[in-house]
Amino acid sequence: MIDQVAAAFDRKDYREAARLLKQLTQQSPQDPWVQFYIGRLHEVTGKSEAAEKAYRQLLRNTSIPKIMAVARQGLQRLEQNEKQRRQQAIAIAKADPKNTQPGVLILEPISTEVKTQAAKNFARIMNLDPYKARLLLPSRGWRLYRTGAIGELQLYNQELLSANIPNFCAILADIQKINVFRVSHFQSVSPQPTVVCHNQQNQLGSLSFNWQEVRQVIPARLPIFEEVVDHDHLRRLQRRVETQDYAQICDLHLPSRRSILRIYDSAYEFQQGVDFTSEHEMATNRRNWNRLSDFLNSRLPHAKVLSDFTSFAETALDRSELLDTIPPHIELFRRAESYWDPAFQLYSGLVFLKYLPSDAI
């Protein structure tokens, strides 16, 4: 009967092949040729995942050279068909000018319990080695995985979501549309807070808002680098760059205004406006910042706090071609430019877009 099944496939009579395989499955369910043709039937009827599972199971369970060869050929066909399908979909997506805008694809953390299967799916979708795929899937924090045309990234986004791999993508131009105000100081905190701030054109003004408008809080530390001179083991002078300090920074997101209030310790005027320090305490920049942070935390218990910037930055800092295009809206005293600043602007902007309410888009 296997010969009849093969003949049915040769003449593309898949209905007859299915009828014969139904009988053979009852008579000889463990027969590797029956299992192969079941996989082949899945393949020709568009059930690629079931076909791949059948072929891989054959490779694990049989040592018959001919069976192994046709199973491998089946996997190669599936892979080639998937590449062609994706290339066609990307070509169609890119035909729309709106889909050619530069964007980023972000992988979200995935639990250890499901990581093994997720890595297999990720490897299949992105055409990766399974071991490398597992290393790329983050366990905590976001990973900047891919840049490119947003139409192509959205296709990967949907495929990954269908495979239960959390991710999202964003258009870089949408981050540029977010208003960033650099806060100089709080002029008042009640009955509603008012800040004195600079806009993106460096114009000084004031902005009043309600605490409930703040939906996300993004605290972070940006490293400050200095060149130091030291001696090596042979007492020879050597120069190297080291992290000497950290700039404290915190973004408050106001999605209803499509705006970010950016507060950082080196630019905040602690001697102006509202005094957050204790009168019996010696004022230092660190203590002033801690007092300000404690105050903000007390007023914003409803806001979502996202503090995984450092782990995200580690996946973004080598993307110089991307970070070069992002204005950081941060004025830190640095002896040399640092990609940490635009990386923070990128992270905060991505958080803003990720949690932007649909009615505010």
Side-chain angles (χ1 to χ4, degrees), residues 1-8 20-21 24 31-35 37:
M1 195 179 290
I2 280 292
D3 292 339
Q4 296 176 43
V5 173
L20 293 169
L21 283 171
L24 284 170
D31 187 318
W33 280 111
V34 173
Q35 294 176 8
Y37 279 114

Side-chain angles (χ1 to χ4, degrees), residues 46-78:
K47 300 174 183 177
S48 55
E49 288 188 20
E52 181 182 357
K53 183 178 179 181
Y55 292 148
R56 293 196 183 282
Q57 188 171 346
L58 270 175
L59 290 174
R60 287 194 300 269
N61 298 339
T62 186
S63 57
I64 303 173
K66 191 170 183 179
I67 292 285
M68 296 176 70
V70 292
R72 289 194 184 97
Q73 290 168 6
L75 289 173
Q76 290 170 358
R77 284 194 304 272
L78 289 172

Side-chain angles (χ1 to χ4, degrees), residues 38-56 71 74-83 85-86 121 124-125 159:
I38 289 174
R40 187 82 177 97
L41 185 63
H42 287 317
E43 180 186 345
V44 298
T45 53
K47 300 174 183 177
S48 55
E49 288 188 20
E52 181 182 357
K53 183 178 179 181
Y55 292 148
R56 293 196 183 282
L75 289 173
Q76 290 170 358
R77 284 194 304 272
L78 289 172
E79 182 179 340
Q80 187 61 34
N81 291 339
E82 178 64 16
K83 285 182 180 178
R85 183 199 63 78
R86 186 174 290 117
N121 293 333
R124 173 178 54 81
I125 294 170
E159 289 191 42

